[in-house]
Amino acid sequence: MDSEQRWLSEPESKQLVQQFGIPVPKGQVIAPFQESPMLPPDLPFPCVVKIISPQVVHKSEVQGVRLNVLDTGSLHAAMRTMEQDAAMQGYTIRGFLVEEMVEGDVEILVGSVVDPRFGPIITLGMGGVYVEVLDDVVSRICPVSPYDVVDMIDELRGSPLIKGTTRGQPGWPLAPFVHAVMRIGGPHGLLFTSGHTIREFEINPLLLHHGQIIALDVRCRITKEAPSP
Amino acid sequence: MTVSVRPMWDALLKPRTVAVLGVSPTHETLGNHFLRGLLAFGYPGSIYPIHPTAREFEGLKTYESVRDTPSAVDYAYVALPSTAVREALNTKPNHVHFAQVVASGFGETADGQALEEELLRQARRTGTRILGPNCLGTYSPRGHLTFLNNVSSDTGCIGIMSQSGGLTIDIIRQGAALGLSFSAVVSLGNSIDVEPSDLLQCYLSDDATRVIGIYLEDVKDGQRFYRTLRDARGSKPIVLLVGGQTRWGQKAAQSHTGALATSSRVWHGLARQTGTLLVETFDEFLAALVGFQYWKPHMAKVTRRVALVGNGGGTSVLMADYLARRGLIVAPFGSETMVSLTAIQLPPGSSIANPVDLPAGTFRLNEGRIVGQVLKTILTKERLDAILLHVNAAAIGEFTQQSDQIIEQAMQSASNAVQLNDAHFGVVYRTSEGDRSSQDRSVENYPVFREMSQAGNALFSIAQYERFLEWVLEFRR
C-alpha cells in the first residue's frame, strides 16, 4: 500500500538514528530564504546545505546539495539558486538543513528493505553514493548477530578499508561500525523497535574515519499506521 | 491436532494405512500405477482403493469414499482432478492424516485460487495435512511407500524435499547412480499446507536423516524458514538449491538498497548466517549430498589440503586450478615425501609431485595395487584433509588387458591405504563408454564421482560446512 507510506525528512531520519546511538553531523534546520532571509548567527562554516523537500528522495539528483559553503554570502547564494531550481522543476522546499562539513576515509552504504518472504534485509555496500558502480555489496536477513556483521564485513572486497588494514597498517577498532549496524538490524535495532513500521531505510553514506562513524545522509520510508503489536 | 504418542510424521514416513483415490478398473490411471507400485514395493500395511462402484481392485476390497474406510487413513494418495479433490477429502476430523494431492490447477491458476482456499479451509477443519498440490508423491523406504518403480528398499540417510516433482525423480534416479541412499523424498509441489519449514523440522528431528537436501522455488514463510535453519545451528548438513532466484525483484523500492538487495544476495546471506550449503546447479546439489553421505565432517579442522592421484596429468592440473578457486590447495609434497616416493621407483612418465600422475603403464603395476602403495607412502609423511583418486578408465583400457580388474584392485588398494586416515577419500571414475551406475556400489564406503568437478564441489561443500561448525564452536552461538 504505497499510498500509506511516506519518507521521513532528512532531519527526522537523522533524529531517529541519533536516538539509536548513531552520530550525525552537527547542524540545524533553517527556513527557506524567501520566507526568512535572516540567517541564525551560529552556523558552522564551512558547511553543507541540503534542501528539505517531501517530493525529493535523492537530493543530489536535483542539485539539492551544496558542499563546502564558506560563509553567509555563499550560503545565501546557494539557497537562492536551489529555490529557483525547485520552482522551475516543480517541487517545494520546506527548508534547508545546514550542517558542519565532515571528512573521513571510507564511505559505506547501510540499508534495509523489507523482503516479502524474509522480512527486513540489511545490506552493506562499499562506496557510499558510488555503491552501484563498485558493486561490492552483502546482504543478510534480520535480525542479525554481531557475528553476522563481522562476517558481512569480511565478505566485502573492501573490508581492509573498513578495518584500516590496507598497506600493512595495523587497523583500528571495528566495534563502532559493528555496533552501528547492530543498532539498525540487530534484535533491538531501529528496524524493529523504532515505533515505526519501516519499509525502506538507508544511511548513504555512512562515513568512517579511523574507525569512528558518522551518518552523513539518512533516508527512511515508513508506513503511516501504528506498527502491529 | 491428533493427540497421540506416535510422532506426527510417522503417518507420512511409516503409514499403517494408505488410501488411493483415483483408481479405475476400466482404464489406466495414475492411481492404478501408484497402487501397483506400492504392492510391488512390498508395502505391509492396509491399502484402501477408493472407487464409487467397483467392489475390488488388484484383489483389494475397494471403498466408495475415503469416509468409509474401516480405519483412519495415515496417507492418502489423491490422483483426482483438482475440482474433485475437496469433496473427496471431506471427512470427519482426524480421519485422514496426510493427503498428497497430485493435481495441478490450484493456486497457480486464476480459476484454482478458490479451490485452493476451500481445500485449505476444509483441511484445517478435518485435521488433514495436505502435501502439494501439483506434486508427485512420497518415497519412504522405511515405510515401503513409493511413487516410483525400481527404487531401493534400503533406508538411507538423505532426506529430500522438492517443490518440483520432476526433479524428485532426477534426484532419486541420478542420486542412486551416484550411490545416494535416501531416508525419504517428499515432493512438496505448491506447499499450500505442509511447507518447507515443516518438513525441515521433520528431517531435523528424524534420526534416520543425517543430511537434508532441499529444492525450493518459493518459500512463503521465509522468516520462519530462516529461523528454523538458524536454530538448527548446523546440526545436520543442509544442501539447498533455489530455482527462479532471478525472477524475484524488489518492487517499489526507491533507495539504492532496494536495487542492491537482490534475491540471490538474500539467499547467499541466509546460507552464510545458518551454515546452509547453497549450491547453484543440480549437479552441485547431488555432488554435495554424495560428499555428506560418505564423509564425516572434520570437527576441529577445515578441509584445505588435497592430494590428487591418478592417471591423466592434464585433468589433474585442471582440477588443481578448479579446487584452488574454491579455497582448496593441491600443495606440493614435502621433501621427505618426495624421497619416499622416489624410492618406489615408478616408471618414467610418472610424476610424484602433487598432483601425482600415474599413467596407464604405471597404473597397472602390481595389478593396480601400486596405487595403494603410493597413497600409503604419501600418508605416512603428509597431513592431508582430502584425497581424490582419478581413474580415467578409457585411457587404461586403451593400453591394458583386463583393465576392469586392474581398476577394481587399484580402487580397493587405495581405499585400504586411506582407511585409518581421517582424510576425505573419493574416486573420480571417468569412462567414455557407458558408466558404472549399473554396478552395485553400495558395498563401497567411499564415493565414486563421474567428473572431477563433482568431487571438487563435494569437497568444497564439506569444507564450507566444517568452517561453519568451527564458527559455531568458537562463538558457542
Side-chain angles (χ1 to χ4, degrees):
Chain A
M1 264 153 264
D2 281 0
S3 58
E4 290 171 39
Q5 297 179 2
R6 73 174 180 100
W7 290 92
L8 297 180
S9 70
E10 186 176 349
E12 287 173 314
S13 301
K14 281 186 165 157
Q15 198 184 358
L16 185 64
V17 299
Q18 234 180 341
Q19 282 166 12
F20 281 81
I22 296 168
V24 300
K26 284 196 226 33
Q28 49 182 299
V29 175
I30 60 176
F33 180 73
Q34 290 174 320
E35 289 173 23
S36 164
M38 287 293 288
L39 291 172
D42 51 349
L43 290 173
F45 291 106
C47 71
V48 180
V49 57
K50 303 179 183 185
I51 59 167
I52 300 170
S53 166
Q55 292 102 343
V56 177
V57 180
H58 295 284
K59 291 177 284 287
S60 51
E61 288 170 11
V62 296
Q63 277 77 49
V65 181
R66 294 287 191 282
L67 301 176
N68 209 20
V69 179
L70 295 174
D71 50 39
T72 47
S74 316
L75 182 56
H76 270 148
M79 288 163 68
R80 271 199 301 267
T81 317
M82 289 196 274
E83 282 179 16
Q84 283 160 9
D85 287 349
M88 271 162 59
Q89 292 177 50
Y91 52 87
T92 45
I93 289 182
R94 293 266 169 84
F96 292 94
L97 178 61
V98 179
E99 288 181 334
E100 59 175 338
M101 278 289 290
V102 184
E103 309 220 358
D105 305 312
V106 183
E107 294 193 350
I108 297 162
L109 168 146
V110 182
S112 176
V113 287
V114 178
D115 182 277
R117 293 160 183 82
F118 291 105
I121 304 296
I122 193 157
T123 296
L124 302 184
M126 295 303 297
V129 293
Y130 299 114
V131 66
E132 275 110 340
V133 181
L134 296 179
D135 195 32
D136 188 9
V137 178
V138 288
S139 295
R140 295 290 187 268
I141 299 167
C142 292
V144 287
S145 73
Y147 310 106
D148 290 332
V149 179
V150 171
D151 188 44
M152 287 175 92
I153 294 167
D154 284 342
E155 271 206 307
L156 289 167
R157 291 193 301 276
S159 74
L161 297 172
I162 298 178
K163 295 173 179 173
T165 55
T166 51
R167 288 175 290 176
Q169 296 299 301
W172 44 66
L174 204 52
F177 182 57
V178 173
H179 288 162
V181 178
M182 286 303 292
R183 284 179 200 130
I184 296 160
H188 308 291
L190 174 154
L191 296 175
F192 298 100
T193 60
S194 72
H196 296 294
T197 304
I198 294 176
R199 309 303 306 176
E200 258 179 277
F201 172 85
E202 188 172 279
I203 303 178
N204 190 18
L206 180 84
L207 193 69
L208 242 79
H209 187 68
H210 287 209
Q212 295 306 306
I213 54 150
I214 188 162
L216 295 195
D217 199 355
V218 186
R219 296 180 185 86
C220 185
R221 190 157 65 107
I222 60 163
T223 306
K224 273 185 179 173
E225 74 265 356
S228 50
Chain B
M1 211 181 122
T2 53
V3 179
S4 162
V5 289
R6 192 176 175 220
M8 162 187 166
W9 296 102
D10 274 14
L12 175 66
L13 302 177
K14 285 187 286 182
R16 292 172 184 150
T17 52
V18 171
V20 187
L21 288 75
V23 296
S24 165
T26 55
H27 57 279
E28 265 320 298
T29 66
L30 204 55
N32 296 4
H33 179 80
F34 173 82
L35 192 147
R36 291 199 194 103
L38 209 54
L39 291 171
F41 199 44
Y43 174 71
S46 305
I47 303 177
Y48 306 132
I50 309 297
H51 191 274
T53 53
R55 301 174 73 100
E56 65 161 46
F57 182 82
E58 294 285 324
L60 297 162
K61 179 175 162 40
T62 62
Y63 298 86
E64 198 179 321
S65 97
V66 78
R67 290 175 282 274
D68 306 320
T69 59
S71 303
V73 172
D74 276 348
Y75 177 83
Y77 179 83
V78 186
L80 297 172
S82 60
T83 47
V85 171
R86 192 193 57 77
E87 180 48 35
L89 288 174
N90 188 6
T91 63
K92 63 180 191 287
N94 302 320
H95 187 64
V96 177
H97 291 140
F98 285 94
Q100 188 131 28
V101 179
V102 176
S104 54
F106 285 90
E108 74 277 12
T109 64
D111 294 346
Q113 302 237 330
L115 286 178
E116 179 175 306
E117 280 160 31
E118 285 165 19
L119 177 62
L120 201 54
R121 208 158 35 232
Q122 174 180 284
R124 300 271 188 262
R125 198 173 65 241
T126 58
T128 302
R129 297 303 307 266
I130 306 287
L131 295 154
N134 195 12
C135 63
L136 285 187
T138 295
Y139 163 51
S140 176
R142 80 189 88 168
H144 297 272
L145 181 65
T146 187
F147 62 99
L148 285 180
N149 290 322
N150 304 317
V151 288
S152 167
S153 56
D154 295 334
T155 298
C157 67
I158 311 276
I160 298 284
M161 70 180 96
S162 166
Q163 287 184 321
S164 156
L167 216 59
T168 57
I169 300 178
D170 292 337
I171 292 167
I172 293 169
R173 298 280 188 232
Q174 294 185 38
L178 283 166
L180 284 185
S181 183
F182 301 98
S183 56
V185 177
V186 180
S187 161
L188 273 179
N190 296 5
S191 320
I192 65 168
D193 180 25
V194 175
E195 298 205 24
S197 306
D198 296 311
L199 215 59
L200 179 58
Q201 278 173 329
C202 161
Y203 285 148
L204 283 169
S205 62
D206 173 34
D207 290 336
T209 302
R210 265 199 311 112
V211 183
I212 300 169
I214 306 175
Y215 174 74
L216 287 185
E217 286 182 3
D218 191 7
V219 56
K220 287 190 276 291
D221 57 348
Q223 179 71 219
R224 181 178 154 224
F225 187 70
Y226 162 66
R227 283 174 193 270
T228 308
L229 288 171
R230 180 147 210 164
D231 292 347
R233 298 163 118 218
S235 62
K236 295 182 184 185
I238 298 168
V239 184
L240 175 64
L241 178 62
V242 182
Q245 285 184 39
T246 49
R247 214 169 48 206
W248 303 357
Q250 283 291 338
K251 292 187 195 82
Q254 293 167 37
S255 58
H256 294 265
T257 311
L260 296 167
T262 59
S263 176
S264 52
R265 281 206 178 101
V266 174
W267 283 109
H268 173 82
L270 172 138
R272 292 289 292 204
Q273 289 176 281
T274 61
T276 303
L277 292 314
L278 183 67
V279 293
E280 286 186 359
T281 66
F282 182 68
D283 203 50
E284 287 173 22
F285 181 74
L286 288 185
L289 293 174
V290 169
F292 283 116
Q293 174 174 298
Y294 286 95
W295 297 331
K296 197 169 179 288
H298 298 140
M299 291 308 285
K301 62 170 182 174
V302 175
T303 294
R304 194 169 159 76
R305 288 179 60 86
V306 184
L308 291 177
V309 177
N311 67 317
T315 311
S316 295
V317 171
L318 288 173
M319 183 60 179
D321 291 342
Y322 189 87
L323 292 173
R325 279 181 222 117
R326 285 158 182 76
L328 298 156
I329 310 292
V330 184
F333 296 139
S335 53
E336 281 187 47
T337 315
M338 298 298 277
V339 168
S340 303
L341 283 173
T342 308
I344 302 178
Q345 295 195 324
L346 296 170
S350 313
S351 165
I352 54 171
N354 193 14
V356 178
D357 185 16
L358 308 173
T362 309
F363 204 96
R364 68 175 175 227
L365 296 178
N366 283 346
E367 277 82 47
R369 283 189 291 264
I370 185 72
V371 174
Q373 201 185 335
V374 166
L375 278 179
K376 209 174 271 175
T377 307
I378 294 169
L379 284 170
T380 53
K381 306 286 180 192
E382 295 283 328
R383 280 183 55 87
L384 292 163
D385 304 317
I387 297 159
L388 293 179
L389 170 63
H390 166 223
V391 179
N392 184 341
I396 295 168
E398 296 274 346
F399 303 104
T400 313
Q401 304 282 310
Q402 294 175 308
S403 63
D404 282 355
Q405 275 165 275
I406 286 171
I407 290 167
E408 212 52 55
Q409 303 246 50
M411 286 165 61
Q412 191 57 50
S413 71
S415 142
N416 292 343
V418 300
Q419 211 157 42
L420 294 176
N421 197 285
D422 72 346
H424 305 309
F425 171 69
V427 173
V428 180
Y429 186 98
R430 292 171 64 236
T431 172
S432 51
E433 62 217 59
D435 60 50
R436 286 162 70 87
S437 61
S438 52
Q439 296 185 26
D440 179 17
R441 308 232 65 99
S442 59
V443 290
E444 285 158 357
N445 56 3
Y446 53 86
V448 179
F449 300 97
R450 287 188 195 149
E451 283 302 330
M452 280 290 213
S453 58
Q454 282 178 335
N457 288 326
L459 280 181
F460 176 61
S461 288
I462 204 157
Q464 272 183 292
Y465 183 64
E466 288 161 349
R467 192 168 302 123
F468 185 78
L469 291 184
E470 195 179 61
W471 203 47
V472 169
L473 283 177
E474 192 180 334
F475 295 116
R476 293 187 186 83
R477 302 203 303 161

